[in-house]
Amino acid sequence: MQNNMLAMILAGGRGSRLKDLTTRVAKPAVHYGGKYRIIDFPLSNCANSGIDVVGVLTQYESVLLNSYVAAGRRWGLDSRDSGVYVLPPREKADADLDVYRGTADAISQNIDFIDTYDPEYLLILSGDHIYKMDYSEMLNFHKQRNADATIAVIPVPIEEASRFGIMNADAEGMILEFEEKPEKPKSNLASMGIYIFNWKLLRKMLIEDMVNPDSSHDFGKDIIPTMLANDKRLFAYKFQGYWKDVGTIDSLWEANMDLLDEGNALNLRDGSWTIYTEDIGALPQYLGPNAEIDRAYITEACKIDGLVRNSVLFSGAEVATGAKVIDSVLMPNVKVEEGAVVTRALVASDVIVEAGTTVGSAKSTNITLVAADVKEEE
Amino acid sequence: MQNNMLAMILAGGRGSRLKDLTTRVAKPAVHYGGKYRIIDFPLSNCANSGIDVVGVLTQYESVLLNSYVAAGRRWGLDSRDSGVYVLPPREKADADLDVYRGTADAISQNIDFIDTYDPEYLLILSGDHIYKMDYSEMLNFHKQRNADATIAVIPVPIEEASRFGIMNADAEGMILEFEEKPEKPKSNLASMGIYIFNWKLLRKMLIEDMVNPDSSHDFGKDIIPTMLANDKRLFAYKFQGYWKDVGTIDSLWEANMDLLDEGNALNLRDGSWTIYTEDIGALPQYLGPNAEIDRAYITEACKIDGLVRNSVLFSGAEVATGAKVIDSVLMPNVKVEEGAVVTRALVASDVIVEAGTTVGSAKSTNITLVAADVKEEE
Amino acid sequence: MAKAFGIINSSANHINIEGMQKYRPIGAFPFTGKYRVIDFPLSNMSNSDIDRILVYVRENPRSLTEHIRTAGNYNINSKRGHIQVLFAESNSASDIYNTDISVFMENLSIIERLSFPYVVIAPNYMVFTQDFDALLQQHVESGADITLLYHRTNEAKERFLLSDYLKLNRQKGVEGIERNRGTAKERDIFMDTYVMSRQLFIDLVHKAVDYSSICNLCQIVAMSCRDLDIRGVAHRGYFAALTDFKSYFDANLELLDPAVQCQLFSPQWPIYTDTSDFCPTHYFAGASAKNSIIANGCVIRGNVENSIIGRGVVIDEGVTIKNSLIQAHAHIGKGIHLEYQVIDKWAEVLHVDEIIGSPDNPGYVKREDII
Amino acid sequence: MAKAFGIINSSANHINIEGMQKYRPIGAFPFTGKYRVIDFPLSNMSNSDIDRILVYVRENPRSLTEHIRTAGNYNINSKRGHIQVLFAESNSASDIYNTDISVFMENLSIIERLSFPYVVIAPNYMVFTQDFDALLQQHVESGADITLLYHRTNEAKERFLLSDYLKLNRQKGVEGIERNRGTAKERDIFMDTYVMSRQLFIDLVHKAVDYSSICNLCQIVAMSCRDLDIRGVAHRGYFAALTDFKSYFDANLELLDPAVQCQLFSPQWPIYTDTSDFCPTHYFAGASAKNSIIANGCVIRGNVENSIIGRGVVIDEGVTIKNSLIQAHAHIGKGIHLEYQVIDKWAEVLHVDEIIGSPDNPGYVKREDII
């Protein structure tokens, strides 16, 4: 292990506010940005930060997610001593098969896995955020502060702070207080759900937490408060840059639209911090003789012979002659047939918008989610 | 998928007759032959037979097994469209988390995984047998016979046949009858637990079996008899060669000892059918100035300055000056200290046999399992 | 599993694609934006279950060696299979000694240790798809000593002028292999693709060496037409021989026709290449793109028509590009007008107003040049 | 993550290991049975978090290119990192033009596109372990322009006679780099290992090219001693320079001493190599092996003493092997007696009774020879 830090990604979320997008796949496997899945971001961040071993804690309906992350070569995490390991709940000699009871419990149930690598530091990540971050710099910060735990934080507008876990820290970054969704926030530094712990200390605390009947076995609700109560050295590491939790259809659409902006902060084209993903074997995008493109983010295997304006098209999306796609996101393999019009919509994978139909509206407040084929009414 | 066949390895067995060897690892992860683990055999057979995708169905205490098989590069199963996928029981939208109820249920619960690859054929293997077999030839046999299912069989001494599932087949190999552990076996062809099914048919049968309250959800007890009862075309594919189910300490010891024979049928040195395994980074074996070697199978990272006779030494095993290892198997990282004597024993990983002690006996009927450090009595 | 190993052969030294070939062998040339020419023979072999492949690289090995280093990208089991590069190791006094036969001879011990009974040999400068396993089966069943693949054309007067053609009898027996000199309309163009037993291949290598130090494989096979049973098998589908600058240019632009795309690319016969990890292509307001193939990672603010754009290309405001190939990482600066051009990798076209070529005489801007 | 990329340099053309070097560069030579010489610099870089590595191969690239093709074997992230081979692409009229500088010049655009501020350069013909990240840190903190690694010896009269040494002042400033001519007992042998900024490296390449077409890196650095702040850092631990047949032979046998083994191999600093997938070694009744290092995959029926046996070697009944290196896949036939020999890969020693060399003059049997 290059920097003696092992990463664990919590990827068990159902993401039920993403509605039909997550009935068959877990939230971290949801598509984003034309060719990516959300979990590509923490995994690529790990690869680029020199982390060799990543455990992915899955739970709900995870066959697709499991297969997806198991192919560690996508993120270069397939060298001699490295790997991406899928860790669902499992039966043990001394315990029956049971679901993970909380974020901390998911780690506790995998202490044996972590011990195999004997890491000095444990990095805990969430599988459903979009951002680029060098965890090795966070680790340097952690070491310099001689911290017991370091929590990445991001400034949020103070009026929204009550939706987050808020850190109150001193000038050095030492955390004095942690409040989960405070009514009257004292600071605007929200936890990003990214933690570095000294493994030995965390291991001890997790073992205590597992048998604590009053614990909900959660990092934010139980482990961090207990550490603070025990006067441990907790530090807030301030992150600057693009960070998005795409919890709803609207925010997922918006995060995709962000990519159309000149100089957007995520900058997926930056070769020094590439986000790696699945490789698809297909022709590059083909634009037919009638294609009209105006502000668009388009990837391999798309075929376009209609109008695409202000939209993001995922692998294999097709826009037939005379069709119009405006202010919309087409997920993989969506077909918009001749003359159909899609406006302010997020069209789920494999959906066919039949010839001549219309979905979405320029005037709607919310983004229309199109999760089933659109047929002409008779 | 090169030959349109996907493999599923049943690797959930506890292997409790292997005693202390399987308290921490599942049976398929047990060491064999100096540098291998048992599951290397089906996985390497898959790789060498041109199978690209392998699902490994794990259940009990599988963290080590999961991490081990997840590194698909060990068997070259890490190319673009290939992979080794660990499939423990999991929670679904329509079903709670529950253990696999039988061999057939383990497949049934992963129908969604298999469907992703849309295979024509499904190969079902057991994770705990030692043998080399070209499954592509078995598939050719299956296709030529236009079979619905093909079961690999091996001739066993007729007096032992009642311990096995026995196939009664006609001259063409068509199975007329299947008897699980028959008192009066009519044939000596024992099932090796290797099946090729036409996936579409099996899928249908598994869905029926899942809701059948009388079924134990087992291939041998339920699926195969039902297929025979429905007049499906089942064929027996006769295997010639080395095949061993190492269910007990004695048989595991024996299988290791087989490797010492001139021209043993397993022939691990055959470059045309290599068994791939974990790579260990260490010096080759070093034999000191006092080493005496006589009939031995010794691998990398061993250090020997004593006597080794008629024995198999696994990675990192050490035999100090003046120590003697006779008719024994030393699992990884065993240390036999100065002057200690090990005879007719199987010494488990990491055990230290302290200086001057003696374990095992040339006269014992059974092989001595040494699972804890041996200290001098005071 | 196929019973053959594969060899991907280099173009002989009479073939030279001006400009671009200075930097890499034809096998490493970009094709349709994201592929390289060698991806086609490699994918043909991989899809035909041939997973042990020797690639002869005559010159400038770096880019090709880089590109094919990961067998896994071609869906080849990395333990069982292997893509191995054969270099011309002994620097000969003159390029005429630098033949495929001399490299096979140098590496004969490797070939002798391969336990496959057959070999399939395909060229690195032709683009087509072919199931080699089916071809091998046909070869074995026919009882022929050598099977050669050919493509029938009725444009032999204008095209394939640097290629050979097979003289076939009515039983598809090969009576000779000769250079196409454009004297007839219909020809069975030889696709430089051979199937034979490994032993016969080894014998032919020895025979060629004994005959002449500059004899190549095609010549020794041509000379053996009387002694051996050599048969032709017809290829169907898209076929391009990249033998000079114009044929390379035309073959690329031909792929802008969706009907041609379907011939070469089908879901049943995937063409593999290395992963680029480029983000999608970003079109800004004011950009336009018509009848074009555009790879990922581009930033497009100008106008593109009838062109193929490689990975990571940057096209500034007001640019017009027509009937051109823009290779990866090139940069076309504001307002520039390009027609019938090949802009090589990493080139920057910044300080000109326009470069206009013609269909018969497309232009070329060198790799890494700034103009 | 280290802030440097790595270059593994080839030995200059005054170094030649007779016999073996005909078949592969020194970097591809076997060392202690299962490793190759280049595994040491590559593992040093990988363990130092240097994951972008250029390997210059002067000649016979095949075996080395094969060996290092999978960065993952060296525990390098295959997306983030990359081992790239630089070939001498332009065949020069004479070998004297075939210098490291000429290859760096040819590939300067690659080097210029790498965004690392520093470069660490290590040789492919020396065996040692060194934390390059610590060396880089020392370099940065010292403020020196160039840091050179050296090994102090008091055997300079007899050893390292083809190596250079550093003329150091009391502040470890390098005042000159000169060939060790065996005129003094104590010397600070230069380990051909450099740390400098990428920009200075590029400047030096240009400077060398301007100075002379056959100037190499060591020479241009030596000439810069007055103008630049160049400092030496001492290396501790095992060090071998493989510069002729005897030094190669001796360095291997030296590793039979467990104390020397510990110096070079430690669990904290793993040495990586490619996987062989060989089964364990099989000793039959009547075999014996003492004070030897034996790789996997061997079949041993004879007697081995003070020797190093490579992978897959077959040693028949009645054989006696003493003080020898038997390279991979060699076969020693019944009853044969070998002393002080290097038997190269795939060689078969079958039709002789004995070959006895001496410590000062070990013998050599060629690759794939049958004798």
Side-chain angles (χ1 to χ4, degrees), chain A residues 121-140:
Chain A
Y121 305 101
L122 190 75
L123 171 67
I124 293 176
L125 303 169
S126 153
D128 42 13
H129 298 149
I130 295 163
Y131 64 109
K132 298 199 292 193
M133 183 171 174
D134 187 342
Y135 306 129
S136 71
E137 292 194 359
M138 180 168 166
L139 179 61
N140 284 344

Side-chain angles (χ1 to χ4, degrees), chain B residues 22-249:
Chain B
T22 51
T23 45
R24 303 293 308 166
V25 300
K27 183 175 164 196
V30 164
H31 292 280
Y32 167 76
K35 61 181 285 197
Y36 307 95
R37 292 180 189 267
I38 295 173
I39 200 163
D40 288 329
F41 288 84
L43 282 169
S44 300
N45 287 339
C46 284
N48 288 330
S49 302
I51 292 169
D52 289 346
V53 177
V54 182
V56 179
L57 299 147
T58 61
Q59 182 138 282
Y60 162 74
E61 193 63 67
S62 49
V63 66
L64 191 148
L65 181 63
N66 287 7
S67 318
Y68 185 73
V69 303
R73 72 190 293 266
R74 289 180 182 138
W75 307 277
L77 293 166
D78 61 341
S79 75
R80 203 180 170 292
D81 297 336
S82 74
V84 181
Y85 298 102
V86 181
L87 302 165
R90 67 203 139 84
E91 190 188 15
K92 295 181 198 184
D94 54 0
D96 283 341
L97 183 60
D98 203 354
V99 297
Y100 293 139
R101 296 171 295 171
T103 54
D105 188 56
I107 304 294
S108 302
Q109 287 200 36
N110 287 287
I111 286 175
D112 52 352
F113 170 80
I114 299 168
D115 281 347
T116 330
Y117 295 94
D118 191 26
E120 198 161 343
Y121 305 101
L122 190 75
L123 172 67
I124 294 178
L125 304 170
S126 152
D128 42 13
H129 297 150
I130 294 163
Y131 65 110
K132 297 199 292 194
M133 183 172 175
D134 188 342
Y135 306 128
S136 72
E137 292 194 359
M138 180 169 167
L139 178 61
N140 285 344
F141 174 95
H142 178 86
K143 286 181 189 169
Q144 278 159 10
R145 298 297 185 286
N146 199 15
D148 292 311
T150 298
I151 302 169
V153 296
I154 188 163
V156 293
I158 191 80
E159 61 274 17
E160 290 182 27
S162 56
R163 287 173 40 216
F164 294 92
I166 293 297
M167 305 288 158
N168 305 318
D170 68 14
E172 309 296 290
M174 193 183 231
I175 298 171
L176 309 170
E177 198 184 357
F178 170 79
E179 295 179 285
E180 188 72 46
K181 299 185 181 163
E183 273 184 47
K184 292 183 182 167
K186 295 172 196 153
S187 128
N188 71 336
L189 295 179
S191 167
M192 298 165 73
I194 301 171
Y195 310 94
I196 291 178
F197 290 100
N198 293 350
W199 172 235
K200 268 192 199 147
L201 173 67
L202 180 65
R203 192 180 189 284
K204 197 173 136 271
M205 299 198 61
L206 288 175
I207 288 171
E208 286 163 16
D209 176 77
M210 273 173 99
V211 294
N212 179 353
D214 302 329
S215 173
S216 55
H217 314 293
D218 185 271
F219 279 105
K221 290 183 201 132
D222 307 287
I223 304 293
I224 300 297
T226 308
M227 288 186 95
L228 283 171
N230 285 305
D231 289 330
K232 298 294 175 197
R233 293 172 61 81
L234 272 67
F235 282 81
Y237 174 76
K238 234 186 259 183
F239 173 77
Q240 309 282 359
Y242 189 93
W243 182 77
K244 203 120 190 181
D245 178 352
V246 287
T248 63
I249 294 297

Side-chain angles (χ1 to χ4, degrees), chain B residues 13-24:
Chain B
R14 284 203 182 219
S16 42
R17 286 181 302 152
L18 287 174
K19 301 175 191 168
D20 290 346
L21 289 183
T22 51
T23 45
R24 303 293 308 166

Side-chain angles (χ1 to χ4, degrees), chain B residues 33-36 73-74 259-264 268-269 274-300 303 313, chain D residues 32-35 70 72-73 256 258 261 265 271 273 275-299 301 311-314:
Chain B
K35 61 181 285 197
Y36 307 95
R73 72 190 293 266
R74 289 180 182 138
L259 295 168
L260 295 172
D261 293 345
E262 185 88 35
N264 84 80
L268 291 172
R269 205 168 174 269
T274 303
I275 302 302
Y276 311 109
T277 185
E278 185 175 17
D279 187 27
I280 68 146
L283 256 188
Q285 53 198 278
Y286 170 67
L287 305 114
N290 307 301
E292 285 183 72
I293 311 290
D294 182 18
R295 284 193 102 228
Y297 206 69
I298 303 179
T299 192
E300 293 186 328
K303 285 186 189 163
L313 271 59
Chain D
T32 67
K34 70 179 262 197
Y35 295 98
T70 312
N73 283 339
L256 290 176
Q261 288 168 20
F265 296 96
I271 305 301
T273 189
T275 0
S276 73
D277 297 308
F278 266 112
C279 65
T281 279
H282 194 167
Y283 297 87
F284 283 84
S288 82
K290 281 183 204 302
N291 200 40
S292 293
I293 290 174
I294 298 181
N296 270 9
C298 298
V299 172
R301 297 167 195 271
R311 286 164 166 173
V313 166
V314 176

Side-chain angles (χ1 to χ4, degrees), chain A residues 73-74 76 78 279, chain B residues 73 76 78-80, chain C residues 39 42 46 51 53 63-79 81-85 272-275, chain D residues 65-66 68-72 78-79 81-83:
Chain A
R73 72 190 292 268
R74 289 181 182 137
D78 61 341
D279 188 26
Chain B
R73 72 190 293 266
D78 61 341
S79 75
R80 203 180 170 292
Chain C
D39 293 335
L42 276 177
S46 172
D51 55 13
I53 303 169
S63 57
L64 198 60
T65 308
E66 276 291 293
H67 181 71
I68 63 179
R69 70 183 193 284
T70 312
N73 283 339
Y74 294 93
N75 217 28
I76 288 173
N77 180 298
S78 54
K79 286 284 183 182
H82 186 17
I83 300 175
Q84 186 167 13
V85 177
Y272 309 109
T273 188
D274 68 344
T275 357
Chain D
T65 308
E66 277 290 292
I68 64 179
R69 71 184 192 285
T70 312
S78 56
K79 287 284 183 182
H82 186 17
I83 300 175

